Amino acid sequence: MYDAFLAVCPSRQLLERISGKWVVLILSALGSGPDCTGDPRPMRYSELSRLLSGVSQKMLTQTLRALERDGLVSRTVTPTVPVTVTYELTDLGLSLHRLMRDVKAWAETNMDDVAASRVTYDEAGAR
Amino acid sequence: MYDAFLAVCPSRQLLERISGKWVVLILSALGSGPDCTGDPRPMRYSELSRLLSGVSQKMLTQTLRALERDGLVSRTVTPTVPVTVTYELTDLGLSLHRLMRDVKAWAETNMDDVAASRVTYDEAGAR
DNA sequence: CAGTATCCAGCTAGATACTG
DNA sequence: CAGTATCTAGCTGGATACTG
């Protein structure tokens, strides 16, 4: 029915949204906590902000909003003072989390092989 | 050893490279042919160009070069006239292909749910 | 066929300042 | 704490023209 190979297919735009480092990292984090080994659990905005080092407030908020709009995360506001906001995976988000977690793990696992390949490639080019 | 949550970790940059629609689509295509159901097989430049509708020559070439440099695809030039160039997954590329194929499939499978969620979200915002 | 080279519009995303 | 708003540098990526 849908085919992301087609530029006009809505799934192409969806693929565009869900590919991107911040989506991968946010979904990885929410799915299993900071160490990526536990069970899915809600996380606070500030907790995410600290965990994903280098993320700007703007990108974090923007990405979380997009994920919320797409039904992948839910946003809960607790009226404490100051306010507490938690983000949690929906069932839909959880299904994507599993893939994103694997992608993040792939990058970490194969970093050495990729680095070695780059050295070889660049050396060949220099000659 | 590596942790993509850390901005300074090399795996963060690698994650940045492999997240992106063209990487997902190219690896999906190379891994299992146009219909994404067959076995991995080499594909020609023009074949990829036709399959990934909307991709510019620049992006296709640029992405293929990056994937080649990272050791995910191999490039073979056959000196016919005109020249024939084929791209094929390496073993490393094949391992990432499996993940990327799932990501593409996820987008296609869950497009309807996401679209429905967007409608709900936007309606709530309008109120 | 399979690129390379160049130009440039537009979006991404960081920095900064401010707020309920 | 959890944002919003604004400004902007610079990168992404599309369009176009050319080539072995």
Side-chain angles (χ1 to χ4, degrees):
Chain A
M1 182 169 180
Y2 292 112
D3 181 2
F5 283 138
L6 304 173
V8 294
C9 182
S11 68
R12 167 72 72 90
Q13 272 73 45
L14 179 56
L15 183 63
E16 218 161 332
R17 290 229 80 110
I18 64 176
S19 46
K21 60 175 170 178
W22 298 128
V23 172
V24 175
L25 291 174
I26 288 175
L27 289 181
S28 292
L30 284 178
S32 44
D35 54 358
C36 241
T37 56
D39 287 326
R41 64 176 184 81
M43 288 179 76
R44 297 183 61 172
Y45 181 90
S46 53
E47 194 178 359
L48 281 168
S49 183
R50 247 173 288 116
L51 180 60
L52 310 195
S53 76
V55 71
S56 63
Q57 283 193 329
K58 181 183 173 182
M59 287 316 298
L60 183 55
T61 302
Q62 203 172 89
T63 309
L64 284 168
R65 287 284 179 282
L67 292 176
E68 189 193 358
R69 178 169 183 260
D70 287 352
L72 300 176
V73 306
S74 62
R75 179 173 178 270
T76 308
V77 180
T78 310
T80 50
V81 180
V83 71
T84 303
V85 181
T86 58
Y87 293 90
E88 189 171 10
L89 288 178
T90 61
D91 286 343
L92 191 59
L94 184 59
S95 69
L96 184 54
H97 151 77
R98 297 197 184 94
L99 303 180
M100 291 314 188
R101 189 169 135 163
D102 288 347
V103 171
K104 174 174 175 290
W106 188 95
E108 292 163 354
T109 304
N110 298 284
M111 185 63 235
D112 287 331
D113 284 348
V114 169
S117 175
R118 286 177 182 172
V119 170
T120 306
Y121 185 92
D122 293 345
E123 276 174 356
R127 270 188 273 114
Chain B
M1 183 166 180
Y2 292 112
D3 182 2
F5 283 138
L6 304 173
V8 294
C9 182
S11 69
R12 167 72 72 90
Q13 273 73 47
L14 180 54
L15 183 63
E16 218 162 332
R17 289 229 81 111
I18 63 176
S19 45
K21 61 177 172 178
W22 298 128
V23 172
V24 175
L25 290 173
I26 288 175
L27 289 182
S28 292
L30 284 178
S32 44
D35 53 359
C36 242
T37 56
D39 288 324
R41 64 177 184 80
M43 289 178 74
R44 299 183 60 172
Y45 181 90
S46 52
E47 194 178 0
L48 281 168
S49 183
R50 247 173 287 115
L51 180 60
L52 309 195
S53 77
V55 70
S56 64
Q57 282 193 329
K58 181 182 172 180
M59 287 315 298
L60 183 55
T61 302
Q62 203 172 88
T63 309
L64 283 169
R65 287 286 179 281
L67 293 176
E68 188 193 359
R69 178 169 183 260
D70 287 352
L72 300 175
V73 306
S74 63
R75 178 173 180 270
T76 308
V77 180
T78 310
T80 49
V81 180
V83 70
T84 303
V85 180
T86 59
Y87 293 91
E88 189 169 11
L89 288 177
T90 60
D91 287 343
L92 191 59
L94 184 59
S95 68
L96 185 54
H97 151 78
R98 297 198 184 92
L99 303 181
M100 292 314 189
R101 187 168 136 164
D102 287 347
V103 170
K104 175 174 175 288
W106 188 95
E108 292 162 354
T109 304
N110 297 285
M111 186 62 236
D112 287 330
D113 284 348
V114 169
S117 175
R118 287 177 181 171
V119 170
T120 306
Y121 185 92
D122 292 346
E123 277 174 355
R127 269 188 275 113

